[in-house]
Structures are given as C-alpha cells and as structure tokens.
Amino acid sequence: MIENKKIIVALGGNAILSDDPTAGAQIEAIRQTCDRLADLVEHHNQLIISHGNGPQVGNLLLQQQLADSEKNPALPLDTCVAMTEGSIGYWMQNEMSSILKKRNIDKSVVSLVTRVEVDKDDPAFTHPTKPIGPFLTEVEVAEAKEDGAKYIEDSGRGYRKVVPSPKPVGIVEFDTVKQLVENDVITISCGGGGIPVLKTEDGYTGVEAVIDKDFASEKLAEQVNADLFIILTGVDNVYINFNKPNQKKLEEVSVEELKQYIGEGQFEPGSMLPKIEAAVKFVETSDHGKAIITSLSNLDNIHQGAGTVVVKHKNNNEKVESLNVEMHESLITSE
Ligand SMILES: Nc1ncnc2c1ncn2[C@@H]1O[C@H](COP(=O)(O)OP(=O)(O)O)[C@@H](O)[C@H]1O
Ligand SMILES: NC(=O)OP(=O)(O)O
C-alpha cells in the first residue's frame, strides 16, 4: 500500500450507486468504499475525497418537477448540487468515521460544501454536455423531451439528460481544505464537482450547471499540491479501442501518448475523456505528481503499478535494459 502521500481520490458513480437508488443502498455502497479508502489512512496518507453526483443530482432535479410552483417551488440546479454534495458528504462522514473508530484510528472526518468558481463566458453554458440522472430508453426520452431538455446517448448505456458543465477556474475553499489536511483531518471536498459560482463584486453567486468532478478534483489537486491523484471508476484500466475486438489495456502511459489518443478520438466525452484530460492536466502541472485511473477493487494493488498510471515521461528502464543487452552482444561479436 502507498504510504505518507497527500492523495486526492475522486470517486465515480459505482462507488456510491448500485442499481438501487435508495438512500440505504447508497449508504451501503459508501460503507464498502470507505472501508477500502480507510486502508490509505491506515498507511499514513493524507486523504482528500471527492465524489460524483450525476445520478443523484439528476434524480433530485426530477423531484423538483413534482414541486408545486407557489407553496413548494422547485429549487435551482446549483442548489440541487449543494444538496447532493451535502447528503453524499454526510453519508461518507458517517461511514468513514465508524470504520476508523473500529480500526482504532483517531481522526476527524469533515465534508465541506465547496464552491467552485466558473467563468460566465464558458462556452459550456450554451452547449450542455454533462449527463445526469437515470439512463432512459428512446421511448422515455421522447416522453420526457416535453420539458425542452437535451439528451445524449451515454457510452452505450442508454440516454441521459445533459446540462451545462463549465470548467472550474478555482476552488473557492481550497485554502481551508489545505489547512484541514495539514491538520490531519480527512476531508471530503468538491463533491459533485462543487457548486458552480460566478464571482461578483460582493462575493459569489450560484449558476445553474454541474461541474465535472474529475476536473474539479484535478483543480483541487493542483491547488493543494497533491502527490497523487486517483480517479476510481467502473473499470480496472483505461482502454484504447474500448469495447472493440482490438481493445488494448493502458498500463503505464505518458502524457504525450494520451494526447495522441485524445487526438484520435479514443475517449468518449461523457465518460472517459474528462478523466483522461484531468489526469493529463494534473501530471503536466505538478512537479512530481502521478495520476492513476482504476477501479475501487484494484486500489490495493496500485503500489504494484496496477491500473492506468499516467506519468510525465515513461519509465525507460526497459529500453535501457534492451540497450545494455544489445551493447553486450555487440562487444562479444567484436571480441
Ligand atoms: N476508453 C475507455 N476505457 C475504459 N472504460 C471506458 C472507456 N470509454 C468509456 N468507458 C466507460 O466509461 C466508464 C466511466 O465513466 P462514468 O461511468 O461516466 O464515470 P464515473 O465512474 O466517474 O461515474 C467506465 O466504467 C467504462 O464503462
Ligand atoms: N459531477 C459529476 O461529475 O458527477 P458524476 O461523476 O457522477 O458524473
């Protein structure tokens, strides 16, 4: 297991949500996730956890459609993001605290309702791309389209509503997160990508959007100077030619290679592309940081190089070794 590092773990949907969207089932999934993450704490790592909210915030938005406009008005999307950030963070605080208590680890866990500044001129506001809520069939989309919403097909898994997803400019509370982590507090931050806010003369004001949690986590990882950025999702590794007969698993991969694959259109915008872009940005920006994309069940093996490990430059040991063999052989031939 990795030790003594400052680590940000961004949790994907699977870590929170199974097929059962009830609170009880989500809490159970979070309990299992926290049990794995507690191993990182046990090995003296400073841990910051962020998480997605796509399914939850989409469901909450659907619940707003049931609201009665005067007595019980629908709440705006930024407020729904705050609500899901709060509820998921609360479940995590409960579960992580009990697991640490059982392991006799005396550490506090907090979740911070985090605001994330975005740019009012971000083109995302006129081009919604972030899938949220349940997966729908074509028939369900045709019925639901009455509300004027936009839907896209999401990685072969069905249709989902899409909303604007501006890029994070900065994490408003990053200094507080830094202080918490320096004081050995396990911090849940940037949940659901954080609440999108615009800077005003007086402070900040919310804006209706859902920030991608991989981009928000990357920005936080940059701002707190993390050693390691782990993105946990539904697969052990990233693939090129994903789901095709010639799909190939990526293990250690350089920023340069990934940029080439991005250029080839290897990664889907609504699922793997943001993770790749976030990992590339972190590794490029950081002095020494690495990024790993893998599954929760593979977390125990990352110290042995498991998962897709994004590095600035690839480890050239193999090339050096083969060069040594070639030199040795040419010496023997010439002798
Ligand atoms: N190139 C790829 N390599 C691996 N998985 C991919 C790829 N493209 C799409 N996927 C799918 O995208 C999923 C991750 O996206 P998503 O489920 O939206 O993220 P999250 O885990 O953050 O909720 C993976 O579990 C996998 O099913
Ligand atoms: N906000 C966000 O990125 O959520 P998901 O990871 O669940 O899509």
Side-chain angles (χ1 to χ4, degrees):
M1 182 57 74
I2 291 189
E3 294 189 331
N4 299 314
K5 300 269 186 251
K6 191 189 287 178
I7 304 178
I8 296 205
V9 180
L11 298 172
N14 296 44
I16 311 169
L17 196 69
S18 57
D19 293 338
D20 179 354
T22 60
Q26 294 189 65
I27 291 169
E28 179 50 38
I30 286 174
R31 180 177 306 140
Q32 290 173 21
T33 300
C34 288
D35 201 41
R36 298 277 175 129
L37 296 183
D39 295 343
L40 291 172
V41 180
E42 209 159 343
H43 284 79
H44 312 289
N45 294 291
Q46 295 177 324
L47 182 61
I48 301 169
I49 306 169
S50 72
H51 58 83
N53 70 341
Q56 296 83 357
V57 78
N59 286 351
L60 191 54
L61 211 55
L62 285 173
Q63 289 172 17
Q64 303 311 302
Q65 290 175 5
L66 304 175
D68 145 351
S69 59
E70 274 183 27
K71 288 193 186 135
N72 177 20
L75 299 171
L77 182 53
D78 56 312
T79 303
C80 290
V81 172
M83 288 162 77
T84 53
E85 185 175 21
S87 57
I88 298 170
Y90 148 66
W91 291 334
M92 272 182 192
Q93 270 178 290
N94 267 353
E95 297 316 311
M96 185 57 106
S97 308
S98 340
I99 288 163
L100 295 181
K101 197 168 174 210
K102 271 190 210 133
R103 297 191 190 191
N104 290 320
I105 301 172
D106 182 20
K107 280 191 195 224
S108 307
V109 185
V110 301
S111 80
L112 195 65
V113 174
T114 320
R115 293 167 298 168
V116 176
E117 191 185 337
V118 296
D119 180 350
K120 70 173 177 22
D121 296 323
D122 193 307
F125 285 111
T126 47
H127 295 93
T129 55
K130 177 76 189 156
I132 61 166
F135 290 94
L136 304 175
T137 63
E138 257 179 274
V139 175
E140 287 169 324
V141 169
E143 285 166 7
K145 251 195 168 159
E146 285 160 20
D147 69 355
K150 212 181 142 193
Y151 293 80
I152 59 150
E153 209 282 326
D154 188 356
S155 303
R157 299 175 289 185
Y159 291 84
R160 289 177 93 187
K161 183 174 186 163
V162 282
V163 295
S165 191
K167 289 279 186 331
V169 173
I171 312 300
V172 178
E173 280 83 15
F174 94 87
D175 205 34
T176 309
V177 175
K178 223 172 163 179
Q179 287 174 42
L180 287 166
V181 172
E182 276 158 17
N183 283 289
D184 228 10
V185 175
I186 297 159
T187 308
I188 303 155
S189 174
C190 286
I195 306 156
V197 293
L198 299 176
K199 206 171 171 78
T200 63
E201 272 182 23
D202 305 327
Y204 294 96
T205 185
V207 61
E208 294 209 63
V210 175
I211 300 172
D212 190 290
K213 62 108 183 20
D214 297 312
F215 290 138
S217 310
E218 187 285 325
K219 184 58 76 180
L220 184 62
E222 258 181 51
Q223 291 191 287
V224 303
N225 202 15
D227 301 305
L228 186 57
F229 176 30
I230 304 176
I231 300 177
L232 295 182
T233 185
V235 284
D236 287 351
N237 287 77
V238 178
Y239 289 82
I240 50 168
N241 305 317
F242 182 60
N243 270 348
K244 294 188 185 143
N246 60 341
Q247 73 171 15
K248 186 178 158 236
K249 189 200 280 193
L250 298 180
E251 292 174 323
E252 189 182 61
V253 61
S254 69
V255 162
E256 194 187 337
E257 285 171 298
L258 281 179
K259 283 185 173 173
Q260 189 188 322
Y261 294 140
I262 292 172
E264 290 169 12
Q266 286 283 357
F267 310 116
E268 296 221 30
S271 55
M272 195 46 79
L273 183 61
K275 298 180 197 313
I276 300 289
E277 288 180 338
V280 163
K281 182 146 185 281
F282 174 68
V283 173
E284 258 185 338
T285 317
S286 154
D287 290 338
H288 57 278
K290 263 198 318 195
I292 302 175
I293 303 174
T294 192
S295 64
L296 181 68
S297 56
N298 219 11
L299 189 62
D300 289 351
N301 305 319
I302 57 173
H303 64 290
Q304 294 164 329
T308 295
V309 183
V310 184
V311 291
K312 244 192 197 120
H313 306 288
K314 235 160 144 174
N315 184 348
N316 279 332
N317 282 350
E318 270 176 41
K319 276 191 200 150
V320 172
E321 266 169 35
S322 65
L323 198 67
N324 284 344
V325 171
E326 274 171 34
M327 282 172 65
H328 182 69
E329 280 170 357
S330 71
L331 278 177
I332 293 172
T333 321
S334 57
E335 267 168 12

